[in-house]
Amino acid sequence: MKNMKIKAVITLVLCALLAPARAGAEGIDVEAIQRAIEEAGADWTAGPTPQTQMTDEERDRLIPDGGDAFGPPPLPEHLYEASPGVSKGDPPTPDATASRFSWHDYEGMDWMTEVKDQRTCGGCWAFSSLGVTEAAYNIAIGEPHLDIDLSEQVVIACTSGGCDGGMPEPVAQYLRRTGVPDEQCYPYLALDGRCDDKCSDSATRSFQISGWGWRPIFLYGEAGVKEYIVRSPLIVSMDVYGDFTAYTGGVYEHVTGEYEGGHSIALVGWDDAHDSWICKNSWGPSWGDGGYFEILRGDSGFGNHIVYVTVNGSDLGGHPCITPRHQDIEVVSGGTPVSVEVTLTNCGGSHLDWTAEPDPATGWLTVEPTSGSHAIGEGTTLTATIDPASLTRLGPWAASVLVHGGISDARGYLDINVISAPPAADFEADPTSGPVPLTVRFSNTSTGTVTNTEWDFGDGETGGGRNPEHTYEAEGVYTVWMESSGPDGRDSLTREDYITVLPPGADPLPEEAPDEAADGAPDADEDVEDDGPDDGATPGCGCAVVR
């Protein structure tokens, strides 16, 4: 056991170069890896990923060659065995004996922060450490949408590691003693950078942990590790081989390629049915299964080096949380304004003063109210109003409700789709009366986008086309129906007794007076001048003949 512990302590958690079977000087032979998977009977798939399509030089920078192995720095033992922090609110309480568990989808919610991309910098140790810390804050306050975004660049520039690799223990030490600020304090460069280049107020923007510890699988067993996963995700080491960059799904196990070095990821759960661990990587969401992967237990030296962190939710300052985080909204081009609501809650650990604004602030999106103040756990409803009249093209538009205040900003994302107006059916005919046979030209005057028109002329005949002609062969009064349809809907209109077909030689009926009173006469309170009979009309009437 002692020898095993020493072996784990000196495990090198660098982001080592992955160099599987290659097609020529550049690129990875994904098909060869897939054949090796099938020959081994393994349950995962290989395919093109951003990492397999990198040049050799880019992959060398992504996960550099290993150097001298080193273990944890000589720190006091109490830092390794810190007790879990005191949390505010109601943290979730997963079951460590469940057959499957993942912080990525626990109770239908994602308690992890977004998958990031370390690009061509060997900073896996920084990304896994901060990814676990960000999730630990979500869990500590029982709020999966908190999603603090910490600066990996500060860790890379200000601790003992760099783009040529590093270890999680110095990150944990830095998080406890100094703290790490938000991403905007020092945005990621994919370079070593300089610690002095971080923001001048980093001290007041930094997040700290209350403690951290060490839990390798070979000492505590799988059940013991599960007990810690349900408290918070873990920072975990694994060996990497030449086939790992091509992973696209399934339960990974090494089938081909040489050992290339160590890697650091976030362990977020397990699946007993697959005999696997569920993990979050830092190679972007286009790698693996949306940035995540499963790995067969006991494979690739997984878990010889495990670090946990604890946080005090009560130490967290005021922070705005917005729900829902994303909304899909459909608006009609040129139509009436559409309003949606988001809920703003102070999910932090102290009082929150906040302001809200639309992003972009170009006039077609407004947010009310624009400021407020809330105690812990209190909140309000924000109303975002979209004015389609200012959206000049059909299709997708991106916007958000942006809230400033407390320890960091929060956003409620609005994915807006501008569609053309649905049809509003209307039509006209000329003439509407006359002797048999009567040829009538119909005109579809519907508004909105119309791509198809159907007609029922009332005499047993139907037809199509936007402006058809139809000939009535028999005397009678006919009701006409029309339906207009388009990509955004359909609408129909029926005009009762609309077409009058008279005997041969008869004169057409006079047209109705437009928009007059129902009987075609002037309004009751309108003065009428009676000039007496005119061409045989009834004295004092002035009425049009109405059908």
Side-chain angles (χ1 to χ4, degrees):
M1 180 67 73
K2 181 177 180 181
N3 290 338
M4 292 178 68
K5 182 174 182 178
I6 293 173
K7 178 181 182 295
V9 169
I10 64 173
T11 298
L12 180 63
V13 188
L14 288 170
C15 297
L17 169 65
L18 298 180
R22 294 185 177 176
E26 304 289 350
I28 292 177
D29 190 344
V30 173
E31 293 181 358
I33 296 174
Q34 184 61 44
R35 287 195 298 271
I37 295 170
E38 294 169 358
E39 291 171 1
D43 188 22
W44 65 282
T45 57
T49 68
Q51 288 69 33
T52 63
Q53 296 170 23
M54 288 180 175
T55 65
D56 293 350
E57 181 181 357
E58 288 171 335
R59 275 190 297 274
D60 288 347
R61 293 198 304 268
L62 167 67
I63 304 184
D65 288 311
D68 295 332
F70 64 93
L75 298 174
E77 184 68 15
H78 72 271
L79 286 184
Y80 287 90
E81 303 298 337
S83 60
V86 178
S87 301
K88 69 169 284 290
D90 296 311
T93 55
D95 180 7
T97 65
S99 61
R100 184 191 183 279
F101 169 77
S102 173
W103 283 115
H104 186 38
D105 58 11
Y106 178 59
E107 294 186 334
M109 295 179 288
D110 189 357
W111 297 78
M112 304 301 296
T113 53
E114 67 177 10
V115 173
K116 300 180 183 179
D117 189 353
Q118 66 189 74
R119 306 204 300 269
T120 54
C121 169
C124 62
W125 53 281
F127 282 84
S128 59
S129 298
L130 295 190
V132 164
T133 301
E134 292 166 351
Y137 267 108
N138 284 359
I139 296 163
I141 67 169
E143 175 49 72
H145 304 300
L146 176 63
D147 288 352
I148 296 167
D149 187 5
L150 300 178
S151 172
E152 289 81 12
Q153 192 61 54
V154 167
V155 170
I156 292 171
C158 300
T159 66
S160 59
C163 278
D164 57 353
M167 294 284 287
E169 286 85 354
V171 184
Q173 179 184 11
Y174 192 84
L175 277 162
R176 177 163 183 172
R177 295 183 175 178
T178 304
V180 174
D182 59 277
E183 173 70 15
Q184 296 306 312
C185 177
Y186 197 175
Y188 187 57
L189 302 174
L191 302 169
D192 285 342
R194 300 187 325 128
C195 191
D196 290 342
D197 289 342
K198 64 181 183 296
C199 62
S200 60
D201 58 345
S202 63
T204 61
R205 296 167 61 169
S206 291
F207 297 82
Q208 293 181 275
I209 62 174
S210 59
W212 59 281
W214 192 57
R215 285 291 183 275
I217 289 177
F218 70 86
L219 283 181
Y220 294 91
E222 292 179 357
V225 171
K226 288 180 179 180
E227 290 287 347
Y228 269 77
I229 295 175
V230 296
R231 300 181 190 181
S232 176
L234 304 174
I235 309 162
V236 177
S237 71
M238 61 176 285
D239 298 335
V240 289
Y241 293 88
D243 52 0
F244 188 63
T245 54
Y247 172 88
T248 58
V251 180
Y252 172 80
E253 60 179 300
H254 166 53
V255 297
T256 186
E258 299 297 322
Y259 169 77
E260 303 294 346
H263 189 41
S264 182
I265 50 83
L267 172 56
V268 307
W270 66 84
D271 190 329
D272 289 343
H274 296 168
D275 195 25
S276 66
W277 298 111
I278 302 172
C279 309
K280 175 187 177 184
N281 204 356
S282 55
W283 291 352
S286 297
W287 179 88
D289 183 6
Y292 286 77
F293 67 100
E294 285 188 63
I295 184 169
L296 190 69
R297 294 176 194 165
D299 193 80
S300 301
F302 189 91
N304 286 338
H305 198 113
I306 296 181
V307 173
Y308 70 86
V309 301
T310 59
V311 301
N312 278 335
S314 58
D315 292 340
L316 190 66
H319 181 75
C321 285
I322 290 181
T323 53
R325 291 290 303 279
H326 293 268
Q327 294 190 68
D328 295 322
I329 305 159
E330 194 169 75
V331 300
V332 176
S333 177
T336 58
V338 175
S339 295
V340 296
E341 293 182 344
V342 297
T343 300
L344 166 64
T345 305
N346 178 10
C347 59
S350 62
H351 193 85
L352 172 68
D353 294 318
W354 57 269
T355 60
E357 64 175 335
D359 184 22
T362 53
W364 56 266
L365 177 66
T366 58
V367 176
E368 293 291 341
T370 58
S371 64
S373 181
H374 295 299
I376 299 171
E378 291 183 347
T380 191
T381 298
L382 304 181
T383 300
T385 301
I386 303 155
D387 183 6
S390 300
L391 301 178
T392 55
R393 58 171 172 78
L394 300 179
W397 292 71
S400 63
V401 176
L402 175 59
V403 178
H404 307 281
I407 52 179
S408 62
D409 295 343
R411 288 180 184 269
Y413 294 92
L414 309 177
D415 296 324
I416 302 163
N417 184 34
V418 181
I419 63 172
S420 55
D426 198 6
F427 65 88
E428 297 175 348
D430 184 33
T432 57
S433 67
V436 67
L438 179 65
T439 298
V440 179
R441 180 175 181 83
F442 293 92
S443 299
N444 183 342
T445 57
S446 304
T447 59
T449 301
V450 176
T451 57
N452 187 62
T453 308
E454 299 292 336
W455 299 86
D456 185 332
F457 301 111
D459 61 350
E461 298 292 330
T462 60
R466 191 174 182 94
N467 302 308
E469 285 188 353
H470 180 68
T471 300
Y472 291 88
E473 303 289 353
E475 299 175 28
V477 179
Y478 299 96
T479 294
V480 179
W481 172 90
M482 183 206 72
E483 180 184 77
S484 293
S485 59
D488 302 303
R490 62 183 63 239
D491 190 31
S492 63
L493 176 66
T494 300
R495 294 198 184 278
E496 300 283 347
D497 300 338
Y498 188 48
I499 303 297
T500 301
V501 182
L502 303 170
D507 293 331
L509 298 176
E511 296 293 331
E512 293 184 12
D515 300 325
E516 295 282 353
D519 60 357
D523 292 339
D525 58 354
E526 182 177 342
D527 293 333
V528 178
E529 182 178 352
D530 184 3
D531 291 329
D534 182 11
D535 297 331
T538 303
C541 177
C543 299
V545 177
V546 181
R547 293 190 303 274

